[in-house]
Amino acid sequence: MQTEPRGFRSRFKEVVKLGSVADEISGHRVRIQELRSNFVLMAVIDINFHLHKAPSIGISSNLPPIQVTQSITKCPPPSRIFHGRKIILDQMHQFFEQDLGKQHIFLLHGLGGAGKTQTALKFIQKSSSRFSDIFLIDTSTLETIDIGLKNIAAARNVGSTADDALQWLSTQSVDWLLLFDNADDPKINLHRFFPPCNHGNILITSRNPGLRVYAGSHSLVSDMEELDAVELLLTSAGENVTPGNKVTAAEIVQALWYLPLAIIQAGAFISKSGTLGTYLDLFKKNKARLLREQPTQSHSDYAWTVYTTWQISFDQLSEAAKTLLQLWSFLHHESISEEIFSCASAYKPQSYPSGPSEEELCEPIKFISQFIDPAGVWDSLHFIEATTEMKSYSLVNFDPDKKSFSVHPLFIAGLELHSRIHKHIIILWSP
């Protein structure tokens, strides 16, 4: 258009020619935009989108075909500051490499904030070439599981239902991997969503150790080794690894009981405030506040703080289990036995004139009566049901050899105690 016209006729031909080219360009733009819209729609709907080659919808045969030679998975990489878990990762590698040709199921279980998902993602990053396809499924609810499986079916063009995806996986003899992440709801029967076949690989992250019944192998993801915890704290805090800083960091991670999420939160706070040398004193005086604080800048994409993570699990418990767990906060975090409570249930105020009156013990007696059967005998089954609830969210651990429970010390410190709970401790005095 900037060319000087050389007469009316030349100008007319130029305009006609430009118009024709403009129409072709416009047509190509429309077709390309249609292709782009279809691609974006698929990618948005299918968070587990698995792509081997792009479809040629709406592309002119004159245009070169789009080729994608590498499969794409939607598993995010692990955190850049991931540290440790070597023993667990080695165990996972060994498990998935043995007995090729059979279905492998591995469970990572533990308390919220212990790093189960990060450990799974680190394993996948280091072993991606081992698997032909990798699919991530959010297993938080039945709905998210259904969506995840439907997305697999749609992406592989084998149907539109979860059953279609499971059937397709069962017919694929290649070494695919399904990551069922956040399988925390004990009311979901996860076995329903395993492909019905004798091949493939399944990796599960869950707070529920009860899922061990499905797994060929499992590992408890708990507190970190001290050297790894120190390195994680200094890295997340942006501090230099000097001898003095390592000593200070060791004291801090010990106070945090080597819990990864607590360490990352502390590192974010130290990075923002520059308080490495004074953090321990601040933490001792403001433990609850610091463990509830959500840092704006952090290496972690985790949506919740330490206490929020545990509160979500705590809220799922029955009232009996909640009260029992709150009561445990008055005890040492280890060696909590059923016998303490069964003996307490036998306490008779009238037998101890110098002890608390029946009126004073009204509320504790009401609570402990939930674990006494109609015949007035201690009901072990009811107690087991309450403690099983706690165990299903990894809020407590059980040692079958010692027949005793333990609670993470940080969790005990974070329990929301009501004034009425203080009265319950009285009944623990047994004859």
Side-chain angles (χ1 to χ4, degrees):
M1 293 297 291
Q2 292 175 353
T3 305
E4 290 292 333
R6 295 181 300 279
F8 179 78
R9 181 171 298 185
S10 297
R11 178 65 174 159
F12 179 78
K13 289 180 179 179
E14 205 167 53
V15 170
V16 171
K17 185 177 180 181
L18 286 171
S20 176
V21 172
D23 288 342
E24 268 198 62
I25 292 174
S26 178
H28 280 298
R29 281 178 175 166
V30 169
R31 287 190 291 275
I32 290 171
Q33 184 61 36
E34 288 175 351
L35 174 63
R36 180 181 181 277
S37 297
N38 285 330
F39 183 85
V40 171
L41 180 61
M42 178 64 77
V44 170
I45 293 176
D46 181 16
I47 61 173
N48 307 309
F49 189 59
H50 202 80
L51 181 64
H52 288 285
K53 62 180 181 178
S56 57
I57 301 173
I59 300 180
S60 169
S61 59
N62 295 326
L63 296 177
I66 298 175
Q67 295 292 334
V68 179
T69 58
Q70 193 174 26
S71 64
I72 300 173
T73 67
K74 285 299 178 181
C75 282
S79 168
R80 288 174 295 180
I81 61 172
F82 180 93
H83 283 87
R85 306 303 189 192
K86 184 180 185 304
I87 295 176
I88 297 176
L89 290 170
D90 288 346
Q91 179 186 353
M92 296 172 72
H93 284 292
Q94 183 178 3
F95 174 73
F96 283 105
E97 288 293 337
Q98 68 184 5
D99 297 327
L100 300 179
K102 62 175 288 187
Q103 191 173 84
H104 296 79
I105 303 178
F106 194 97
L107 171 68
L108 292 169
H109 60 94
L111 185 65
K116 300 179 294 296
T117 297
Q118 287 299 314
T119 303
L121 294 178
K122 187 64 176 180
F123 168 77
I124 289 172
Q125 183 189 62
K126 297 179 69 174
S127 310
S128 58
S129 61
R130 160 80 171 75
F131 306 106
S132 58
D133 297 282
I134 301 172
F135 300 101
L136 168 64
I137 296 179
D138 179 359
T139 320
S140 305
T141 65
L142 288 171
E143 290 75 16
T144 58
I145 298 172
D146 187 59
I147 290 172
L149 291 171
K150 284 179 178 178
N151 288 338
I152 294 174
R156 306 308 288 157
N157 197 28
V158 294
S160 59
T161 69
D163 286 338
D164 290 332
L166 293 174
Q167 183 59 35
W168 176 79
L169 287 166
S170 67
T171 61
Q172 301 300 303
S173 58
V174 291
D175 259 349
W176 45 260
L177 172 70
L178 279 177
L179 171 56
F180 286 103
D181 193 31
N182 296 321
D184 299 330
D185 189 343
K187 297 184 290 295
I188 293 178
N189 178 10
L190 196 59
H191 187 261
R192 291 172 45 199
F193 306 105
F194 295 162
C197 58
N198 293 319
H199 60 269
N201 305 277
I202 296 173
L203 178 55
I204 307 167
T205 70
S206 177
R207 300 179 192 184
N208 183 9
L211 295 181
R212 288 176 296 186
V213 296
Y214 303 128
S217 186
H218 64 90
S219 181
L220 170 64
V221 183
S222 56
D223 305 326
M224 301 180 71
E225 296 292 332
E226 183 170 294
L227 291 178
D228 293 326
V230 166
E231 189 173 352
L232 177 60
L233 177 65
L234 293 177
T235 302
S236 59
E239 295 283 344
N240 295 324
V241 183
T242 65
N245 283 352
K246 289 171 70 173
V247 171
T248 302
E251 294 174 345
I252 294 172
V253 297
Q254 183 178 10
L256 297 172
W257 291 89
Y258 310 104
L259 184 75
L261 182 57
I263 293 169
I264 291 173
Q265 277 185 234
F269 181 86
I270 292 168
S271 175
K272 176 180 67 174
S273 59
T275 56
L276 179 65
T278 58
Y279 182 83
L280 190 57
D281 288 334
L282 288 171
F283 179 74
K284 290 177 179 178
K285 296 175 183 177
N286 305 277
K287 186 178 296 184
R289 284 176 58 189
L290 287 174
L291 291 178
R292 285 190 177 92
E293 180 170 319
Q294 178 68 62
T296 304
Q297 307 298 330
S298 173
H299 288 279
S300 173
D301 295 327
Y302 202 65
W304 302 309
T305 66
V306 172
Y307 277 177
T308 305
T309 298
W310 295 341
Q311 187 69 44
I312 291 171
S313 296
F314 182 78
D315 289 343
Q316 305 304 312
L317 302 178
S318 65
E319 287 303 315
K322 284 180 183 178
T323 305
L324 188 61
L325 190 52
Q326 287 175 322
L327 186 56
W328 286 10
S329 67
F330 288 94
L331 308 175
H332 189 268
H333 67 275
E334 293 180 324
S335 301
I336 302 171
S337 68
E338 179 182 353
E339 186 180 9
I340 295 174
F341 300 91
S342 62
C343 287
S345 69
Y347 177 78
K348 304 298 182 184
Q350 59 271 25
S351 301
Y352 300 90
S354 60
S357 67
E358 189 168 351
E359 183 178 354
E360 290 176 300
L361 293 177
C362 177
E363 202 165 349
I365 290 174
K366 180 180 178 181
F367 166 74
I368 208 73
S369 66
Q370 297 177 79
F371 303 99
I372 299 175
D373 66 18
V377 179
W378 175 254
D379 188 348
S380 283
L381 179 59
H382 195 180
F383 185 84
I384 290 171
E385 289 171 345
T387 54
T388 298
E389 285 187 58
M390 304 179 203
K391 289 192 292 182
S392 68
Y393 292 99
S394 286
L395 295 175
V396 302
N397 292 317
F398 180 70
D399 185 332
D401 295 328
K402 297 179 180 179
K403 297 183 179 179
S404 65
F405 298 88
S406 62
V407 188
H408 197 285
L410 282 185
F411 179 62
I412 283 185
L415 282 172
E416 295 291 342
L417 300 176
H418 302 289
S419 58
R420 66 184 180 86
I421 299 300
H422 290 74
K423 297 179 182 178
H424 290 176
I425 198 64
I426 299 172
I427 202 170
L428 295 182
W429 177 55
S430 56

